């Protein structure tokens, strides 16, 4: 079971870090020029499609971080036999731009889809919407990565549970570090 948990953390790390990086990208001053809403201010039924919190900057940074994370994973995988023994996927055959990009883009697309529905039901940006805030990026990352790699059903179940439980923990840590305004 510990091996399954480790693999789920390993495999989905590009999506998890991409999701975190999109949020943190707002703190990067030199990227202010990319602070343009993905929905370009468009509305449906008088409501913004996504809102100002979903920016080109966030998507750009998330994509880069997803790819970089996958590159680092391949480097670690290549240099440590003990890691290769715990990973049931041959990372020698993985294209980090493709897998990291799909996981990062999927995580942000899942988050954006949730934001679309949040706007429809009048939930303000930044307000908690349990359990959708915890699963949006997971579902998006899984769906996008399916275009490149397929895991077993059991591996997806473990991945979903691990990352679902990890989300509120990391959110609370962000609150303690004064990066987030709300604890959950």
């Amino acid at each position: 079971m510990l091996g399954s948990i480790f693999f789920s953390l390993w495999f989905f790390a590009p999506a998890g870090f991409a999701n975190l990086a999109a949020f943190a990208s707002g703190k990067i001053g030199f990227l202010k020029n990319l602070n343009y809403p993905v929905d370009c201010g468009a509305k449906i039924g008088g409501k913004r499609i996504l809102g100002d919190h979903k920016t080109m900057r966030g998507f750009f940074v998330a994509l880069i971080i997803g790819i970089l994370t996958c590159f680092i994973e391949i480097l670690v995988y290549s240099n440590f036999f003990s890691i290769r023994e715990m990973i049931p996927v041959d990372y020698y055959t993985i294209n980090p731009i493709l897998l990291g990009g799909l996981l990062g883009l999927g995580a942000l697309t899942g988050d954006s889809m949730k934001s679309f529905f949040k706007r429809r039901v009048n939930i303000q940006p930044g307000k908690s919407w349990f359990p959708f805030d915890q699963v949006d990026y997971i579902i998006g990352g899984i769906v996008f990565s399916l275009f490149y790699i397929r895991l077993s059903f059991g591996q997806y179940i473990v991945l979903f549970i691990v990352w679902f439980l990890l989300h509120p923990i990391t959110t609370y840590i962000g609150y303690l570090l004064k990066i987030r305004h709300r604890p959950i």
Side-chain angles (χ1 to χ4, degrees):
M1 184 54 147
L2 225 51
S4 295
I5 293 170
F6 178 79
F7 175 66
S8 71
L9 290 168
W10 175 277
F11 177 78
F12 210 66
F17 284 122
N19 192 47
L20 179 63
F23 174 77
S25 70
K27 311 285 187 220
I28 303 171
F30 70 88
L31 293 176
K32 292 290 184 199
N33 291 340
L34 294 173
N35 192 24
Y36 193 75
V38 173
D39 67 7
C40 302
K43 297 179 179 182
I44 293 177
K47 296 179 185 178
R48 285 287 297 276
I49 294 173
L50 299 176
D52 287 334
H53 291 86
K54 303 300 172 216
T55 65
M56 299 302 265
R57 177 193 63 225
F59 267 84
F60 173 74
V61 171
L63 187 62
I64 297 300
I65 293 300
I67 291 168
L68 286 175
T69 302
C70 202
F71 266 112
I72 291 167
E73 286 179 330
I74 289 170
L75 182 66
V76 171
Y77 181 88
S78 299
N79 289 296
F80 294 96
F81 177 77
S82 58
I83 295 291
R84 287 193 301 275
E85 290 293 305
M86 296 189 303
I87 305 297
V89 173
D90 182 3
Y91 269 71
Y92 287 127
T93 64
I94 295 294
N95 178 328
I97 295 171
L98 198 52
L99 182 59
L102 286 169
L103 285 167
L105 189 59
L108 269 284
T109 301
D111 184 62
S112 294
M113 294 294 293
K114 181 236 12 216
S115 291
F116 172 80
F117 290 108
K118 271 178 101 169
R119 300 298 85 78
R120 306 291 74 73
V121 295
N122 296 319
I123 296 174
Q124 296 300 313
K127 286 268 195 170
S128 181
W129 195 27
F130 185 83
F132 304 106
D133 287 329
Q134 289 71 32
V135 301
D136 55 358
Y137 75 105
I138 301 169
I139 294 169
I142 288 172
V143 168
F144 274 53
S145 70
L146 285 171
F147 290 107
Y148 182 64
I149 192 168
R150 305 255 171 144
L151 304 178
S152 72
F153 183 72
Q155 287 170 321
Y156 284 121
I157 296 297
V158 172
L159 183 153
F160 189 88
I161 292 168
V162 166
W163 285 90
F164 177 81
L165 296 173
L166 194 59
H167 187 272
I169 294 167
T170 58
T171 302
Y172 189 70
I173 290 169
Y175 171 74
L176 293 175
L177 295 173
K178 306 218 184 297
I179 297 169
R180 298 191 62 88
H181 301 295
R182 293 183 181 91
I184 299 287

